[in-house]
Amino acid sequence: MKSTSSRKSGWPLKVTFGRESVTVYRREIPSGGFGYMVANYSLGKRRFDSYATEGDALDAAQRLARQLSERQ
């Protein structure tokens, strides 16, 4: 898994597989913790899939990037 970022803080992260990249965003939730969102364009429109942990979000982003790259 290759992750790159354009900001100093490291967020948002981009997970790349082949020619496809998927963006993972981190947001602060009202309770003071963090939530993670994966931008999903698989249906043609942007949809955010939410995850409680960073690891879950990065795994989902990697699976999604692989599916998009293989055109599934």
Side-chain angles (χ1 to χ4, degrees):
M1 172 176 57
K2 180 180 175 184
S3 297
T4 59
S5 64
S6 60
R7 293 188 180 178
K8 197 172 192 178
S9 67
W11 292 97
L13 297 177
K14 287 200 181 274
V15 176
T16 304
F17 186 88
R19 295 179 67 186
E20 297 293 332
S21 65
V22 175
T23 306
V24 180
Y25 298 94
R26 181 176 74 171
R27 64 181 177 90
E28 191 170 350
I29 56 177
S31 65
F34 289 103
Y36 301 90
M37 301 183 310
V38 175
N40 184 347
Y41 287 91
S42 63
L43 299 176
K45 290 185 176 182
R46 183 173 67 176
R47 184 182 82 197
F48 287 111
D49 299 330
S50 298
Y51 298 91
T53 65
E54 180 180 350
D56 289 344
L58 291 175
D59 289 342
Q62 185 176 10
R63 282 192 308 271
L64 181 60
R66 177 178 282 128
Q67 288 174 350
L68 290 172
S69 179
E70 294 172 353
R71 309 244 187 246
Q72 292 182 357

